[in-house]
Amino acid sequence: MTKLKDKLIEEIKNSQDKELLEEIYQVLCDKGHDEIVHFSDTQIESIKKAQQEVGEGKYFTQEQIDDQLDQWLEE
């Protein structure tokens, strides 16, 4: 475990990639915290529509999608 920590520390020290460092920081800070996700009105409507479609049987199973993909690839 110590070797891994040392490697991570060294990589972080040497990194000049601000985005990567910010992502690492977020992962470390967010670990163990429950995050509340807020959806926009458009996202909520899309979720409701999808739930309604599933309730009406308007969906494909993974097996159906795999079959369609196989057929498409054979063409």
Side-chain angles (χ1 to χ4, degrees):
M1 182 84 134
T2 302
K3 285 184 179 182
L4 177 58
K5 285 182 180 180
D6 290 342
K7 287 180 183 179
L8 285 169
I9 290 168
E10 192 63 30
E11 288 296 322
I12 290 169
K13 282 182 182 179
N14 294 330
S15 178
Q16 299 299 315
D17 187 337
K18 183 179 179 186
E19 288 181 32
L20 174 64
L21 294 171
E22 287 175 349
E23 287 181 34
I24 292 169
Y25 181 77
Q26 283 303 112
V27 168
L28 293 173
C29 289
D30 291 344
K31 188 173 182 180
H33 294 88
D34 291 332
E35 183 177 340
I36 297 174
V37 178
H38 298 278
F39 295 106
S40 69
D41 291 341
T42 303
Q43 291 170 318
I44 292 170
E45 287 304 312
S46 294
I47 292 168
K48 286 179 181 178
K49 182 179 178 187
Q51 289 173 326
Q52 180 181 351
E53 289 175 352
V54 168
E56 294 172 356
K58 297 179 181 176
Y59 62 91
F60 294 101
T61 65
Q62 186 64 47
E63 185 177 336
Q64 289 170 317
I65 292 170
D66 290 342
D67 289 343
Q68 288 180 0
L69 181 59
D70 289 341
Q71 290 174 8
W72 178 73
L73 291 172
E74 289 174 5
E75 292 178 1

